[in-house]
Amino acid sequence: MIIEFISVGTEILLGNITNTNARYLAEECAVLGLTNYYQVTVGDNESRLSEAIRTALGRSDIVLLSGGLGPTEDDITRETVAKVLGREMKEVPEIHQQIQAYFERMGSKRPSSNNWRQAMVIEGAQIVENHNGTAPGMIVPVDDTKYIILMPGPPEELKMMFEESIAPFLAGLNHQVICSKTVKICGMGESRVADAVSDLISAQTNPTIATYAKGGEVHLRITASGSDAKTARKSIKPIVKELKSRFGDKVYTTRESETLEQHVVGLLKRKKMTVATAESCTGGMVASTLINVPGASDVFNEGYITYSNEAKQKILGVKKKTLKKAGAVSEACAEEMAKGAAKAADARAAISVTGIAGPDGGTEEKPVGLVYIGCCIDGKVWVESYHMNGDRQKVREISVKKALDMLRRHLNHVEQD
C-alpha cells in the first residue's frame, strides 16, 4: 500500500520548527511495509491544502496529515478535509467532555471557547483518542480502499497516538506481517558502512537492509515480510548474524530501544564498576548523557569540568610541565586527566575529553576539531585522537559519542565479577 504524508503548518515552511514528524512517520511506516513516494508540506492555507489532499488521493492509498488540529483560526485541517470529501462535521459530546477533563487536570476549569472546535468530527470518521493533548485524531474512510488519517502536530502527541492507535490500524490493512531488527554501529561513518554491505543490499529482496546515520552512529535496519511474525523474524536472523560477523565490536546492540549510553551503563552494572568523567571542551556533556539513563547513580561516581589549565592541575593532578610542553589539547594531557579523574573519584573507570571545538583557537599544528579522548580502567590508560568536522556544537556532540564508544570497547575486555 502507498502512503503519503502531508505536514500542515506555515511555521514548518518558514523554518521556525524542524519537521521531525515526517522523519518519524517515514521510519515507522517503512517498518509496517508501507510504500512512501511523496512527503508534502503545506502552509495554513485552505486552497493549497485542498489541492494537496486531492493530489494525494489521486496517487496514494493512505493520506496521513499531521498538524492543523488546534483550536485557533489557522488550524484548518479538519474543515478542509471535510470540504474536500463533501462531508458534514458534527460536535461529539464525548470529546467535549474529554477536553473539559483535560483542562481540569491541567489546573484550569474554563477552556477557551475556541477549544470546542476540537470536538468537531468529520462525518463517518473513526475518532482516535489523544492521551497527551486535546485534539483527537481521525481515521476517515474515503471509499473501500482509501483513507485519510488526521493526527495532531505536536510530536509528543503524534508519537503516542501513532504507536497506540494508528500503527495497529495500518498494520491491519496490510495482509503481510512486517518485522524488523536494528543493528547499531559506532566507530564507522555511513558511507563506509554502506560500502561494507553493498553486496547484501544489491542482492536483497526479502529481507531488505537500509542504512541510517544517527548522530555519530550508523543504524542498519533489516526488515522482512512474511505470512506470520515467526516466518518474518526467521528470515532476519541470518542477516543479523552476517552483519555482526562483518562489523565485529563496532556493533553495540541489536535492541531498537537501547541507546549507546544505556548500553554503557548496563555494561558498568554487569561488571560492577563505577566511572568518573573529566571534561574540557565538552563541558559536562559526557556526564550529562550518562546521567540521563535511569539507574546511572549506581555506576556514576563524579564528573569534573576542568576547562582551565589551573583546574586540570588542581582537580585532576595534570602536571604543569605536561601543559607547558604538550599543551592542554594533547595525548599526554588526556592521559593524565583520565588517571586523575579515576583517582579523585575512587572509580575503576574514567573517561577524559580535551580538544578544540572552535570556531576559534585552532592552529596549523592543532586545528579546530582536534580532540583527544582518554580512557582509564583499573589504572591502564588508552588515548585516541580524532579530527572532527562541523561547527562547535557538532564537534562536542560527536566527542561525547566517541568517548562513550571508547569506554564501551574497553569495558568489553574487562572480566565480569
Side-chain angles (χ1 to χ4, degrees), residues 30-73:
V31 171
L32 292 170
L34 299 167
T35 302
N36 174 225
Y37 292 136
Y38 301 98
Q39 297 180 16
V40 178
T41 301
V42 184
D44 303 310
N45 178 278
E46 184 180 328
S47 64
R48 287 190 285 273
L49 179 55
S50 297
E51 181 184 357
I53 294 169
R54 291 190 181 95
T55 300
L57 286 173
R59 63 193 181 191
S60 302
D61 302 303
I62 302 161
V63 181
L64 207 164
L65 292 102
S66 61
L69 301 183
T72 63
E73 290 299 322

Side-chain angles (χ1 to χ4, degrees), residues 245-300:
S245 174
R246 293 190 184 195
F247 294 106
D249 71 350
K250 287 182 170 56
V251 174
Y252 75 84
T253 190
T254 57
R255 296 177 182 176
E256 179 67 36
S257 61
E258 186 176 42
T259 63
L260 179 59
E261 54 267 30
Q262 288 173 336
H263 183 80
V264 169
V265 169
L267 268 177
L268 289 163
K269 285 183 177 182
R270 289 193 293 276
K271 295 177 186 291
K272 299 178 181 178
M273 296 176 65
T274 54
V275 67
T277 57
E279 303 179 63
S280 185
C281 64
T282 47
M285 291 172 67
V286 177
S288 176
T289 302
L290 286 169
I291 292 169
N292 279 339
V293 179
S297 57
D298 295 337
V299 298
F300 184 79

Side-chain angles (χ1 to χ4, degrees), residues 207-233:
T208 60
I209 303 172
T211 62
Y212 303 93
K214 293 280 188 176
E217 303 179 19
V218 180
H219 295 182
L220 293 171
R221 176 169 279 178
I222 306 97
T223 304
S225 61
S227 56
D228 53 58
K230 184 178 179 180
T231 301
R233 284 195 290 266

Side-chain angles (χ1 to χ4, degrees), residues 3-15 17-27 29 36 38-46 48-53 56 59 62-69 74-78 80-81 148-155 158:
I3 191 165
E4 183 164 339
F5 310 134
I6 300 178
S7 303
V8 183
T10 301
E11 67 276 11
I12 302 174
L13 285 175
L14 294 176
I17 64 170
T18 302
N19 191 358
T20 58
N21 287 340
R23 183 179 72 178
Y24 169 79
L25 292 170
E27 290 184 353
C29 288
N36 174 225
Y38 301 98
Q39 297 180 16
V40 178
T41 301
V42 184
D44 303 310
N45 178 278
E46 184 180 328
R48 287 190 285 273
L49 179 55
S50 297
E51 181 184 357
I53 294 169
R59 63 193 181 191
I62 302 161
V63 181
L64 207 164
L65 292 102
S66 61
L69 301 183
D74 61 354
D75 291 309
I76 60 171
T77 301
R78 284 179 299 265
T80 304
V81 170
I148 295 178
I149 300 176
L150 285 67
M151 302 181 68
L158 180 141

Side-chain angles (χ1 to χ4, degrees), residues 9 19 42 55 88 103 106 132 159 206 301 330 333 349 367-368:
N19 191 358
V42 184
T55 300
E88 296 293 328
F103 274 89
M106 296 296 106
N132 229 359
K159 289 181 180 180
N206 182 36
N301 270 17
S330 65
C333 184
V368 169

Side-chain angles (χ1 to χ4, degrees), residues 66-299:
S66 61
L69 301 183
T72 63
E73 290 299 322
D74 61 354
D75 291 309
I76 60 171
T77 301
R78 284 179 299 265
E79 293 80 1
T80 304
V81 170
K83 288 180 181 179
V84 168
L85 298 179
R87 307 271 180 92
E88 296 293 328
M89 295 187 68
K90 62 178 181 178
E91 185 175 5
V92 177
E94 290 80 6
I95 299 176
H96 197 287
Q97 294 166 10
Q98 289 168 10
I99 292 171
Q100 178 69 46
Y102 178 87
F103 274 89
E104 289 177 357
R105 289 197 303 272
M106 296 296 106
S108 174
K109 293 186 177 181
R110 292 187 178 181
S112 301
S113 58
N114 57 4
N115 281 108
W116 304 128
R117 295 182 64 221
Q118 297 176 303
M120 301 298 291
V121 173
I122 299 169
E123 179 187 3
Q126 175 185 330
I127 300 168
V128 183
E129 284 192 52
N130 183 349
H131 295 120
N132 229 359
T134 57
M138 298 180 218
I139 299 173
V140 188
V142 178
D143 54 34
D144 292 338
T145 60
K146 290 183 183 288
Y147 295 87
I148 295 178
I149 300 176
L150 285 67
M151 302 181 68
E156 67 277 7
E157 297 181 30
L158 180 141
K159 289 181 180 180
M160 180 178 284
M161 182 181 291
F162 187 86
E163 290 167 8
E164 290 181 347
S165 305
I166 304 302
F169 172 80
L170 294 174
L173 297 178
N174 232 345
H175 298 300
Q176 289 281 85
V177 173
I178 307 295
C179 292
S180 67
K181 194 82 170 175
T182 299
V183 175
K184 298 185 179 182
I185 295 169
C186 257
M188 290 181 73
E190 185 181 19
S191 59
R192 285 181 59 204
V193 171
D195 186 60
V197 296
S198 59
D199 59 318
L200 298 177
I201 292 175
S202 297
Q204 69 186 9
T205 51
N206 182 36
T208 60
I209 303 172
T211 62
Y212 303 93
K214 293 280 188 176
E217 303 179 19
V218 180
H219 295 182
L220 293 171
R221 176 169 279 178
I222 306 97
T223 304
S225 61
S227 56
D228 53 58
K230 184 178 179 180
T231 301
R233 284 195 290 266
K234 186 177 180 180
S235 65
I236 289 173
K237 285 183 178 180
I239 303 296
V240 172
K241 184 178 180 180
E242 176 62 23
L243 293 173
K244 285 182 175 180
S245 174
R246 293 190 184 195
F247 294 106
D249 71 350
K250 287 182 170 56
V251 174
Y252 75 84
T253 190
T254 57
R255 296 177 182 176
E256 179 67 36
S257 61
E258 186 176 42
T259 63
L260 179 59
E261 54 267 30
Q262 288 173 336
H263 183 80
V264 169
V265 169
L267 268 177
L268 289 163
K269 285 183 177 182
R270 289 193 293 276
K271 295 177 186 291
K272 299 178 181 178
M273 296 176 65
T274 54
V275 67
T277 57
E279 303 179 63
S280 185
C281 64
T282 47
M285 291 172 67
V286 177
S288 176
T289 302
L290 286 169
I291 292 169
N292 279 339
V293 179
S297 57
D298 295 337
V299 298

